[in-house]
Amino acid sequence: YDFEGKFQLMSLIALAIAALPLSQSAAADIARAEQTRLNACIQQSETDAEAAFEESLRWLGEGARPAARYCNAMALLGLGNYKEAAVRLEELASAPDAGGLGDRAVYLAQAGNAWLVAGYSDAAIVSFSDALKISPEDPQILTDRGAAYLGTDQIDEAIEDLDAALAITPNSVDA
């Protein structure tokens, strides 16, 4: 029987178990740093969209993680490039690493709004409908899709969405 080999294996397992909290802590630190960077990018996209766009390109060069791709889409929105931002948000929503369903619904709803501002009401309806598949009771998405329906002269569908939004939030000014 190889006691020395068994001891070495047990030592390696013990080291791996001891390192697990450290790696979990490091992962949490990385996630916090990434969130801080994303928040800064979103704020910058509202005040200096060109600088935010440049930052997003640097970040994408470091690795196209979801937060970097989201930063890029927000910077494109800030630059007024709504169509490209909508495409990036839709791509992010369907990416395997996009996060949870709530994140995906947000990306799709934001894509819908970008399409709407860009003048593509039909594309907006598709994005909002996809978001509603994830969050069917979201009154803001219903209201936004109602606006998109109005943009395509689909009055009955618009009324249906706006009525549904009002049923959820009766005092909604938007609906």
Side-chain angles (χ1 to χ4, degrees), residues 79-102:
L79 290 170
N81 193 341
Y82 303 113
K83 182 179 176 184
E84 185 63 29
V87 169
R88 302 273 172 96
L89 287 162
E90 286 180 342
E91 288 172 351
L92 181 56
S94 62
D97 61 350
L101 291 176

Side-chain angles (χ1 to χ4, degrees), residues 47-69:
T47 59
D48 186 356
E50 187 63 40
F53 183 71
E54 292 299 322
E55 169 60 17
S56 78
L57 294 179
R58 276 190 295 280
W59 198 357
L60 287 169
E62 296 168 15
R65 300 206 15 88
R69 297 192 313 267

Side-chain angles (χ1 to χ4, degrees), residues 111-145:
N113 281 309
W115 284 123
L116 201 55
V117 172
Y120 294 90
S121 295
D122 288 326
I125 291 168
V126 172
S127 290
F128 290 135
S129 295
D130 288 345
L132 286 166
K133 289 176 187 172
I134 299 169
S135 297
E137 299 293 316
D138 188 309
Q140 187 59 55
I141 300 172
L142 285 163
T143 300
D144 291 343
R145 188 174 70 174

Side-chain angles (χ1 to χ4, degrees), residues 10-73:
M10 295 301 286
S11 295
L12 287 174
I13 292 172
L15 282 173
I17 291 172
L20 187 59
L22 180 62
S23 68
Q24 289 173 343
S25 174
D29 290 345
I30 291 169
R32 275 192 298 279
E34 192 167 81
Q35 186 63 49
T36 299
R37 190 173 183 184
L38 176 59
N39 292 342
C41 177
I42 291 170
Q43 287 178 343
Q44 190 173 40
S45 70
E46 296 170 1
T47 59
D48 186 356
E50 187 63 40
F53 183 71
E54 292 299 322
E55 169 60 17
S56 78
L57 294 179
R58 276 190 295 280
W59 198 357
L60 287 169
E62 296 168 15
R65 300 206 15 88
R69 297 192 313 267
Y70 188 62
C71 171
N72 184 254

Side-chain angles (χ1 to χ4, degrees), residues 135-140 142 161-172:
S135 297
E137 299 293 316
D138 188 309
Q140 187 59 55
L142 285 163
D161 276 357
L162 296 173
D163 284 346
L166 283 171
I168 297 166
T169 54
N171 297 322
S172 173

